[in-house]
Amino acid sequence: MVSTPIDIDGLRRRYIAECPYYLRLARQIGQIIEESARDKKFKCNVEHRAKEVRSLVAKALTKKYADPYDEIGDKAGVRVVVDFPWERNDLEEMIASLFCVLERDDKRVATEPDRFGYRATHFQVKHPRAPKAIRDLECEIQVMTKSESLWADTTHDLSYKSAEALPPEIQRIYHRLVSLTELFDLEVERARRELDAMPKTFGAQLLNILLPHHQRFVGQEYDAELSEMVLDFLGEHVISDSMDVVGATIDNFIANNSDKIQMLLGRRIGDDNANPLVWQPELFVILSQLETNKFVLQAQWPEILPESLLLSLADDWGVRITPIGL
């Protein structure tokens, strides 16, 4: 049977006209995922894009479509990459709750046990609360771990097509790459279980409580060694409550001061002269102690860090303390 010729010029013109709408949709969906992930204290990296015109045309030429424009579903695309494999299911459930899911395709399930392949989960979605101009457009969301993202990018750069198109010696290379990806994620999960079973210092326990809050408000890297040093010191010299009480106190403090915390951080974005503790998880404990236990905190503080750092935070938070010795 002779296939119907593709109107490439018509397809190109239509997509050039509509591409800005797909970019707008991808941007909005990416922002919604980022904001929802912060609210739920998930850590992930979100990228969005509209498919390039040349990529759309090439895909229409290389695949067999009855109607290429309507059948190419990734004109708007969002990639969500989680750090750890145990975070993936929760994030996928969050995405399913946010959008109208037209199709869900878990490539891990779809791949035969003796085959290598791409392991992301794909969602084909619409955004029912989007502006009218983009409400009926579709977006593809890909969810994967860091290792799966590395595999996908690497095999794409190596011009991977399909298992059948590769000679046996190259197939073995790809099998090994997939095996390494799966092994990496499995070993990360095993390391997590073993680390969770180890006894932890006060600082390490408190850091686990603080990290979701840090992800929500700050969402950037921090110095873990500095955090544990400060939190262990506070646990030994300043804080006398049990871990359960400390955790509940921090949760209540953040709930009651969410807007004020956001304002403090907002004033310091892009400021290279900002107090380095502003971007650290221990910030929330220090601010809480400034409000409820500032005299003990100030008396002990110079034993671990310069007093100027505490004075700076107190000033930013609106708590008045007098430098020691004045």
Side-chain angles (χ1 to χ4, degrees), residues 249-301:
T249 299
I250 292 298
D251 287 344
N252 289 333
F253 171 78
I254 291 173
N256 293 331
N257 293 277
S258 177
D259 291 343
K260 190 176 178 182
I261 292 169
Q262 288 178 331
M263 289 177 61
L264 184 156
L265 294 171
R267 291 195 300 268
R268 297 307 177 198
I269 291 175
D271 182 2
D272 291 334
N273 293 314
N275 188 321
L277 294 174
V278 165
W279 312 118
Q280 290 284 115
E282 58 269 26
L283 170 72
F284 307 110
V285 179
I286 296 169
L287 296 180
S288 174
Q289 291 294 312
L290 278 171
E291 287 202 348
T292 61
N293 198 23
K294 68 179 182 180
F295 297 113
V296 174
L297 177 64
Q298 183 182 14
Q300 298 296 331
W301 186 270

Side-chain angles (χ1 to χ4, degrees), residues 90-324:
D90 288 341
L91 196 66
E92 289 180 6
E93 289 179 9
M94 183 195 81
I95 289 171
S97 71
L98 290 172
F99 307 106
C100 175
V101 178
L102 307 174
E103 183 180 351
R104 178 174 181 165
D105 182 12
D106 188 337
K107 304 295 184 180
R108 297 169 297 180
V109 176
T111 303
E112 295 295 330
D114 62 343
R115 298 295 184 107
F116 63 87
Y118 179 62
R119 290 174 52 80
T121 298
H122 284 199
F123 292 86
Q124 196 70 20
V125 307
K126 287 185 177 182
H127 177 20
R129 297 171 301 283
K132 186 176 180 181
I134 59 175
R135 192 174 302 158
D136 292 330
L137 302 183
E138 296 181 15
C139 178
E140 180 184 87
I141 304 172
Q142 304 171 357
V143 182
M144 62 190 77
T145 64
K146 278 186 174 180
S147 63
E148 290 162 350
S149 177
L150 176 62
W151 185 88
D153 290 341
T154 302
T155 53
H156 180 272
D157 292 342
L158 291 173
S159 299
Y160 163 69
K161 295 293 184 291
S162 67
E164 293 75 14
L166 298 172
E169 62 271 20
I170 304 298
Q171 289 190 36
R172 283 193 290 272
I173 292 174
Y174 278 95
H175 276 297
R176 289 198 294 271
L177 287 172
V178 172
S179 296
L180 287 172
T181 300
E182 294 186 27
L183 180 62
F184 180 87
D185 282 343
L186 287 170
E187 288 299 286
V188 167
E189 290 210 53
R190 184 161 72 94
R192 182 211 188 192
R193 289 194 298 271
E194 294 186 6
L195 286 170
D196 285 346
M198 291 176 58
K200 294 179 177 61
T201 65
F202 181 93
Q205 293 179 64
L206 186 50
L207 184 58
N208 283 337
I209 294 172
L210 296 173
L211 283 179
H213 297 299
H214 181 261
Q215 174 60 25
R216 173 188 168 196
F217 285 96
V218 181
Q220 65 183 41
E221 296 300 318
Y222 66 97
D223 189 301
E225 185 176 358
L226 175 59
S227 291
E228 290 204 34
M229 180 185 78
V230 172
L231 293 173
D232 278 335
F233 180 83
L234 294 177
E236 184 176 352
H237 299 281
V238 179
I239 300 171
S240 57
D241 294 322
S242 68
M243 187 56 61
D244 288 343
V245 172
V246 173
T249 299
I250 292 298
D251 287 344
N252 289 333
F253 171 78
I254 291 173
N256 293 331
N257 293 277
S258 177
D259 291 343
K260 190 176 178 182
I261 292 169
Q262 288 178 331
M263 289 177 61
L264 184 156
L265 294 171
R267 291 195 300 268
R268 297 307 177 198
I269 291 175
D271 182 2
D272 291 334
N273 293 314
N275 188 321
L277 294 174
V278 165
W279 312 118
Q280 290 284 115
E282 58 269 26
L283 170 72
F284 307 110
V285 179
I286 296 169
L287 296 180
S288 174
Q289 291 294 312
L290 278 171
E291 287 202 348
T292 61
N293 198 23
K294 68 179 182 180
F295 297 113
V296 174
L297 177 64
Q298 183 182 14
Q300 298 296 331
W301 186 270
E303 296 295 323
I304 186 170
L305 289 173
E307 187 187 25
S308 60
L309 293 179
L310 182 63
L311 295 174
S312 170
L313 286 180
D315 185 58
D316 267 351
W317 194 243
V319 173
R320 187 170 180 175
I321 56 176
T322 303
I324 294 173

